[in-house]
Amino acid sequence: MDRKELESALEAILFASGEPVQVDRICVALDIDRPTVEQLLQKLMDYYAYERRGIRLLKIDDSWQLCSAPDYAETIRKAFEIRKPAKLSQPALEVLTIIAYYQPTTRAYVDQIRGVDSSYTVGLLLDRGLIEECGRLQVPGRPRQYRTTKQFLRAFHLSSLKELPDDIGEDGQMRLNEAGEVVDPIGDTEAPAQTDAGEPEDV
């Protein structure tokens, strides 16, 4: 295939998946090397953004996924009569922040930092798919450990955990507003929350 055909085939793979697709899987499918695939992906991502299309291409760790543009979230909700998801409470944001920055970590460690029991809130975040269990700590009682998920990255429009703000505020918390959106620690500007190939969402 020539380069134009490769771009079209790549777009078709991402569209058909509906989920994040690993770069290595794309390499195998198109029978081309990784640097070429990454160039094609970057070009496609830039095209959607520059042309202000209704879809965007997101990089999530070593995977890529098509999603709707956050600008049209309300329009999409109206079209499909989608109820806006409930926002996370302040306690939920606190727990999510601690897990995001100190993962993998246990609920006992979260409780220690917050000074209150966090079992209900951890359960809520598990139900939302923002965190997941990732084994047990090898100490008496073997407490469960938790980490954030790819859904967490998608929801906060992050490519990887390396993009979490370095400055988490004087109170030791990542700057999240009550809508569950990451706030720029320097400019105090909000980063739009976004989900998968459905519609952007407030977490």
Side-chain angles (χ1 to χ4, degrees):
M1 291 188 285
D2 60 25
R3 194 171 186 85
K4 186 63 177 178
E5 289 177 320
L6 287 173
E7 291 176 1
S8 297
L10 174 58
E11 190 174 36
I13 291 171
L14 293 168
F15 178 81
S17 172
E19 296 289 337
V21 183
Q22 291 188 335
V23 174
D24 290 342
R25 183 178 292 273
I26 298 173
C27 292
V28 172
L30 299 180
D31 193 25
I32 53 178
D33 60 82
R34 187 184 183 93
T36 301
V37 168
E38 291 177 338
Q39 288 177 6
L40 293 173
L41 288 164
Q42 186 63 51
K43 181 179 179 181
L44 194 59
M45 182 171 67
D46 293 342
Y47 166 74
Y48 289 139
Y50 180 78
E51 295 292 334
R52 301 186 66 182
R53 307 293 296 183
I55 56 177
R56 295 287 186 270
L57 182 57
L58 293 181
K59 184 178 186 297
I60 306 171
D61 287 334
D62 195 40
S63 301
W64 294 72
Q65 181 178 13
L66 286 177
C67 68
S68 56
D71 297 342
Y72 304 108
E74 193 58 37
T75 302
I76 294 171
R77 290 191 184 101
K78 289 180 180 178
F80 296 102
E81 298 182 352
I82 300 171
R83 180 182 296 178
K84 190 172 183 180
K87 298 175 182 178
L88 287 179
S89 64
Q90 186 60 38
L93 292 175
E94 291 175 1
V95 173
L96 185 58
T97 298
I98 294 168
I99 294 175
Y101 276 92
Y102 298 101
Q103 61 186 302
T105 189
T106 64
R107 184 173 63 80
Y109 184 73
V110 174
D111 292 349
Q112 180 182 346
I113 292 178
R114 298 185 66 231
V116 295
D117 184 276
S118 305
S119 55
Y120 172 80
T121 308
V122 168
L124 172 66
L125 295 174
L126 286 168
D127 290 342
R128 292 284 188 91
L130 296 174
I131 64 172
E132 64 184 1
E133 293 183 16
C134 58
R136 291 175 178 268
L137 197 62
Q138 298 303 312
V139 296
R142 301 192 63 207
R144 292 182 176 87
Q145 292 183 295
Y146 300 96
R147 65 186 176 193
T148 54
T149 62
K150 287 188 176 181
Q151 171 62 19
F152 166 80
L153 295 177
R154 287 195 295 267
F156 292 100
H157 203 192
L158 301 170
S159 295
S160 72
L161 294 172
K162 294 179 181 178
E163 293 186 1
L164 285 172
D166 291 328
D167 178 6
I168 59 176
E170 295 179 357
D171 56 359
Q173 296 182 21
M174 177 172 62
R175 295 173 183 268
L176 299 177
N177 64 23
E178 59 184 20
E181 297 168 335
V182 177
V183 177
D184 186 336
I186 298 177
D188 283 339
T189 56
E190 297 176 0
Q194 185 166 339
T195 58
D196 57 17
E199 84 285 356
E201 140 181 17
D202 291 330
V203 239

